[in-house]
Amino acid sequence: MPLIIPKDLIVEEVLERENIFTMRDSCASKQDIRPLSIAIVNLMPKKEETELQLLRMLSNTALQINIDLVRMESYNPSNSDIKRLKAFYKTYEDIKNNKYDAMIITGAPIETIAYEKIKYWEELKTIFEFAKENVYSTMFICWSAQAALYHYYNIEHKVSKEKIFGVFEFDKLKENKIIKGFDDTFLVPTSRHTYVDVEDFEDFPDLEVIAARPDTGVSLVTTKDDRFIFNFGHWEYDKYTLHDEYIRDISQGKKINPPQNYYEDNDPKKEIKIRWKSAGNLFFSNWLNYCVYQETPFAIETIEGKSVSKFGGSSLKDAGQFAKVKKIIFSKEDRDVIVVSAPGRRFSKDTKITDELISLSDKNLKIDELDKIIKSLEEELSVQIVYRDTQLKKIKNRFLSIAEDLKLEEFWKDELQFVFEEIENSVDKEFIVSRGEYLNAKLLSKYLNYDFVDAKDIIIFDSEGKVDIEKSRKAIKKHIGENKKVVVPGFYGSDNNGDIVTFTRGGSDYTGSLIAYALDSKVYENWTDVNGIMTSDPNQDPNAKTIDKLNFKELKEIIDKGAQVYQGDAIKPVEEKNITIKILNTNNPKNHGTIIKD
């Protein structure tokens, strides 16, 4: 109850900050006392259990309260005694001419059913409209809170992946007289499959979210004048209510986790801890005292309706409907808060604008994603083209420098320029990698005035990627033969389709060995930048010496130890015909080098 204190004894700001509720003596002297009139619209299947729970909460006050129990006339629940309902419950027809200080509309286990498919939805909408006009403050509990938000504000609920089940802790998001005296955090029993996101209230300045969590959605919402209280929890629940629900769901074969933060150590076999009753009693007491008793007029028949008018999409589907809505709004002076939906269907095959916008949003998102991908690819393409052109120019200048120094510029322009156009436009790695040997062989053949024989015409690979020795031998004989002066690029050949195939690095050794083998050469000279095969790496050991002679077995042993002196596969062709291999130094041609022969 409020304290009656002299005016200006304590400044208003301090009273408000300290949560001290007061009434001026001038008001108290004029105040009459009368019982509050409260209607309970009981939608729960177990009517008697819900009655006891709510009446217990309402009795924890010094106020006198008259209760009317209300049922749905359009639906008879199977779990309730019809005779008892008719004896103790009223219908809308019985109360439609009444005024109430307060009304409670309970939840119902039908939250996953579309509102329009609920058997008593039309009757419940009538009661919602009745509450707006004839009740000073209405509390909607759990499902009815969601249904009322949908009806008054067109706010949709969402279905949770798992049942929101247990006793959840909430923080006060803002101060409000309905949670006056609450701790900063408080507990709320909750049992539902649906939720409403806090973001859905951003466009409704009349609504204040008092408590919410990301995993449960909102828990407590009020209108700014506290005429509507949307309570998503169940402070009225008894000790065993959640337990009984859990056992019922398990017995029906439903997959469900035990209610959270309810049993000791969250173990259904252990004791149940009641930790919500103090907050629940204070919540109902605050509602009756601050939102009802202290606000509702003494002459209950003078209660003014809460004007919130919602027009659905079908009511605003075209200009003609807009004109009708305007006429309706202006027909009463108190229609100040208007809530509207997007245009609905104009005919059976028409589409709701919201559905169109959802589809449009999806397309915009996809377009944005693709646009970002395209822009990213375009940027990457530009970068790669710059890198490619820079590298291509570097390689081209290298060969052009050789050609210019050899006075072969004209030959370069006439015969070799197009090779770089092929490289630029090709995605064949084997072809591109082979062009180093190709261009060098072209330049050398021109410089020597020798014929050029392309390796792809004489080194043939089989379908397994191995050199076909016999086919290659015949091709070498055909294109080179005896007493012919030619230059051949190493490192590559071709498959049966004529596509370029490269050896592993060092494959030019193999090319030379195959040609020596095919032509029955006496000697195969392999020129490099060292004086033959050395006893150690001359770049690291200044005392390294040339090995004068080796047999093929010794050469293999050196190669097997990791010395990169000769390509291993290139030994077999020359070894088969005991062709002498000479490893010689291009920069020191007078040095005898290393001779390899059995």
Side-chain angles (χ1 to χ4, degrees), residues 117-128:
K117 293 184 178 180
I118 295 168
K119 292 182 178 179
Y120 54 78
W121 179 244
E122 291 301 319
E123 185 179 2
L124 185 60
K125 288 198 300 181
T126 302
I127 290 178
F128 283 160

Side-chain angles (χ1 to χ4, degrees), residues 70-244:
V70 182
R71 65 181 175 88
M72 294 289 102
E73 189 173 23
S74 56
Y75 177 71
N76 291 322
S78 58
N79 294 325
S80 298
D81 183 346
I82 300 300
K83 289 184 179 180
R84 181 179 181 279
L85 287 180
K86 290 183 177 180
F88 296 105
Y89 277 72
K90 297 181 178 181
T91 65
Y92 170 71
E93 287 297 317
D94 297 324
I95 68 167
K96 66 181 182 181
N97 295 319
N98 294 353
K99 295 280 187 177
Y100 290 97
D101 297 289
M103 176 180 279
I104 296 174
I105 304 179
T106 73
I110 52 176
E111 53 198 330
T112 58
I113 303 173
Y115 296 117
E116 289 77 8
K117 293 184 178 180
I118 295 168
K119 292 182 178 179
Y120 54 78
W121 179 244
E122 291 301 319
E123 185 179 2
L124 185 60
K125 288 198 300 181
T126 302
I127 290 178
F128 283 160
E129 290 302 304
F130 171 84
K132 190 172 67 175
E133 297 289 334
N134 301 284
V135 180
Y136 192 78
S137 183
T138 303
M139 180 191 296
F140 308 93
I141 297 177
C142 197
W143 174 82
S144 72
Q146 300 175 65
L149 286 169
Y150 175 74
H151 176 73
Y152 294 130
Y153 297 96
N154 202 34
I155 295 175
E156 297 269 8
H157 68 233
K158 301 175 181 66
V159 178
S160 176
K161 291 181 180 179
E162 294 182 354
K163 187 175 183 180
I164 301 170
F165 194 35
V167 182
F168 294 89
E169 184 177 76
F170 290 89
D171 294 329
K172 286 195 294 187
L173 299 182
K174 59 177 62 179
E175 293 295 338
N176 186 285
K177 58 188 174 184
I178 203 165
I179 54 170
K180 205 170 201 177
F182 272 40
D183 293 326
D184 289 337
T185 62
F186 52 89
L187 296 169
V188 183
T190 307
S191 176
R192 48 190 162 84
H193 291 87
T194 51
Y195 64 97
V196 179
D197 279 327
V198 68
E199 292 83 3
D200 294 335
F201 294 86
E202 292 175 354
D203 296 331
F204 298 95
D206 183 45
L207 298 174
E208 290 190 335
V209 178
I210 309 300
R213 285 169 50 133
D215 55 342
T216 67
V218 298
S219 181
L220 184 59
V221 179
T222 71
T223 54
K224 285 189 175 180
D225 57 8
D226 296 308
R227 295 284 298 274
F228 288 161
I229 310 296
F230 305 96
N231 171 20
F232 283 66
H234 286 284
W235 269 307
E236 76 280 5
Y237 270 6
D238 295 329
K239 179 176 182 178
Y240 294 102
T241 308
L242 290 176
H243 175 75
D244 292 341

Side-chain angles (χ1 to χ4, degrees), residues 459 461 466-469 476 490-491 503-504 506-517 524 526 566-574:
I459 306 298
F461 287 80
K466 296 180 181 180
V467 174
D468 188 320
I469 301 293
I476 292 168
F491 184 52
F503 291 103
T504 57
S508 294
D509 290 346
Y510 204 163
T511 306
S513 294
L514 283 173
I515 294 174
Y517 164 82
Y524 169 40
N526 192 306
Y566 198 81
Q567 215 269 351
D569 293 336
I571 297 173
K572 186 176 179 181
V574 290

Side-chain angles (χ1 to χ4, degrees), residues 359-375:
S359 177
L360 178 66
S361 174
D362 292 339
K363 289 182 175 63
N364 278 349
L365 182 62
K366 190 64 178 178
I367 289 169
D368 184 62
E369 289 174 353
L370 292 173
D371 185 56
K372 287 177 180 177
I373 292 171
I374 290 170
K375 287 180 179 177

Side-chain angles (χ1 to χ4, degrees), residues 460-469 472 494-495 501 503 510:
I460 312 300
F461 287 80
D462 60 23
S463 58
E464 296 181 358
K466 296 180 181 180
V467 174
D468 188 320
I469 301 293
S472 297
S494 65
D495 59 19
V501 180
F503 291 103
Y510 204 163

